[in-house]
Amino acid sequence: MKDYTNGQNIAAASEKEIHTDFEKNMTYGEYLQLDKLLSAQIPASGQHDETLFIVIHQVSELWMKLILHEMQSAINCINEDNLQPAFKQLARVSRIQSQIIQGWDVLATMTPTDYLKFRNSLGNASGFQSYQYRMIEFTLGYKTKHVLKIYEKEKELHQQLLSAFQKPGLYDAAIQKLARSGFGIDPELLDRDVTMVYESNDSVKQAWKAVYQDADSHWELYQLAEKLVDIEDSLQQWRFRHMKTVERIIGFRQGTGGSSGVHYLKKVLDHYFFPELWELRTEI
């Protein structure tokens, strides 16, 4: 039998600086507040797969928190004509989105039978009510005022969402940047009501088209456009995986929050956040 003792002794001797006394120092668990984080999974039923359901959705919410953090920072950088940091932040958003997309693959291991064992325990709680997802939509320019009513129960949260609803989004910042770079953007668009859902504008399409046709002269704007396309592409993949996972588990049942479920999720797949960036691809 091989003796591993000597190897263990060598390893221990080489790691003499490892800290083991935390009486007066902060630990890893304290820094991350793992006591709160890991005690937040409280199933409403005794069913095995409910823990999976809770963890997947909580992890998604943490990722969404980081998406909002990065997108707001990117907006600030674009407004300051400091695009290089914005590129890194928007690229990070795309990477985060890939993590959420893969999360649906894990949830899809739950069968219809597994889910139906605890579905009634959810009551009317639904992912449709995710306020961070709404804030992501608002930040990307998809403003739907009627959904704000869902959050009236919590006054502080409702005010936070209302503030996001009334603020210019990521694409508004990009369009303003196009105007500051000398492109002829319609003046009324630059002063538009940002609480309305953004709709395609020809002056914006022509500006982006000029950027793509002479990328060398407009390299930063070209990079910005592609970062925006990356985010929308990933978001649509996210939405599609959500829709197919729901269809796989509950078919075409109504959602617990009262939405039409798969029918609703299919409908939102048709929406474009940055329409001109997709339209011009047929023309260049």
Side-chain angles (χ1 to χ4, degrees):
M1 180 180 293
K2 189 172 182 179
D3 182 6
Y4 293 95
T5 305
N6 188 49
Q8 291 172 348
N9 291 336
I10 293 172
S14 66
E15 300 293 348
K16 290 182 178 180
E17 299 301 316
I18 289 178
H19 294 287
T20 58
D21 183 359
F22 287 93
E23 285 295 324
K24 297 180 180 180
N25 296 310
M26 180 174 60
T27 66
Y28 171 81
E30 288 170 336
Y31 174 68
L32 295 178
Q33 299 190 55
L34 291 181
D35 56 337
K36 296 179 182 178
L37 187 64
L38 299 180
S39 63
Q41 297 73 46
I42 306 174
S45 73
Q47 300 302 321
H48 176 83
D49 277 26
E50 190 177 358
T51 298
L52 164 67
F53 188 82
I54 292 171
V55 168
I56 289 293
H57 286 84
Q58 287 182 339
V59 169
S60 294
E61 291 291 337
L62 285 171
W63 281 129
M64 284 190 271
K65 181 175 183 177
L66 187 54
I67 285 175
L68 288 166
H69 175 71
E70 298 295 341
M71 287 204 299
Q72 187 54 59
S73 184
I75 289 171
N76 294 340
C77 288
I78 294 168
N79 288 338
E80 295 166 1
D81 294 324
N82 187 18
L83 266 60
Q84 291 301 320
F87 296 153
K88 179 178 180 179
Q89 290 148 2
L90 296 176
R92 183 174 292 163
V93 169
S94 296
R95 296 294 188 184
I96 296 166
Q97 289 173 305
S98 70
Q99 295 298 311
I100 300 178
I101 292 166
Q102 290 177 25
W104 291 119
D105 294 338
V106 180
L107 188 60
T109 63
M110 184 170 60
T111 68
T113 303
D114 295 330
Y115 181 53
L116 289 175
K117 288 178 181 178
F118 67 86
R119 187 175 191 252
N120 288 339
S121 300
L122 302 179
N124 295 129
S126 166
F128 184 83
Q129 299 148 16
S130 169
Y131 68 86
Q132 290 198 122
Y133 181 75
R134 294 300 169 199
M135 290 182 72
I136 288 172
E137 287 189 330
F138 292 170
T139 305
L140 294 177
Y142 185 58
K143 306 291 183 74
T144 47
K145 189 172 185 178
H146 68 276
V147 302
L148 291 173
K149 186 170 179 60
I150 295 171
Y151 312 98
E152 288 179 349
K153 176 182 176 181
E154 300 174 75
K155 301 300 181 184
E156 186 176 335
L157 174 57
H158 183 264
Q159 187 56 48
Q160 184 181 351
L161 280 155
L162 184 61
S163 176
F165 182 79
Q166 294 171 339
K167 286 173 61 175
L170 177 61
Y171 202 42
D172 293 304
I175 292 170
Q176 294 284 346
K177 174 60 179 173
L178 285 172
R180 291 196 301 275
S181 300
F183 292 95
I185 306 299
D186 290 341
E188 61 270 22
L189 184 64
L190 299 175
D191 194 33
R192 78 180 189 92
D193 180 357
V194 297
T195 67
M196 303 297 291
V197 176
Y198 180 81
E199 295 183 0
S200 181
N201 177 276
D202 189 62
S203 69
V204 174
K205 183 167 71 172
Q206 294 308 316
W208 285 128
K209 186 175 179 179
V211 167
Y212 273 80
Q213 289 177 329
D214 189 5
D216 289 341
S217 299
H218 308 292
W219 183 246
E220 284 199 328
L221 289 171
Y222 178 70
Q223 286 181 285
L224 176 59
E226 284 298 289
K227 291 293 185 290
L228 294 175
V229 170
D230 287 343
I231 287 174
E232 176 147 3
D233 191 350
S234 294
L235 190 71
Q236 293 294 57
Q237 292 182 52
W238 174 5
R239 284 174 156 181
F240 180 78
R241 287 300 299 133
H242 184 188
M243 182 268 293
K244 293 306 293 183
T245 302
V246 171
E247 183 178 3
R248 175 173 177 155
I249 296 174
I250 66 167
F252 288 84
R253 292 171 181 260
Q254 186 180 57
T256 50
S259 75
S260 58
V262 170
H263 292 295
Y264 170 79
L265 296 171
K266 282 185 175 181
K267 181 173 65 176
V268 297
L269 280 170
D270 293 331
H271 176 78
Y272 285 90
F273 294 98
F274 317 131
E276 299 90 349
L277 290 173
W278 297 94
E279 294 167 2
L280 67 83
R281 279 161 159 72
T282 307
E283 303 178 18
I284 56 176

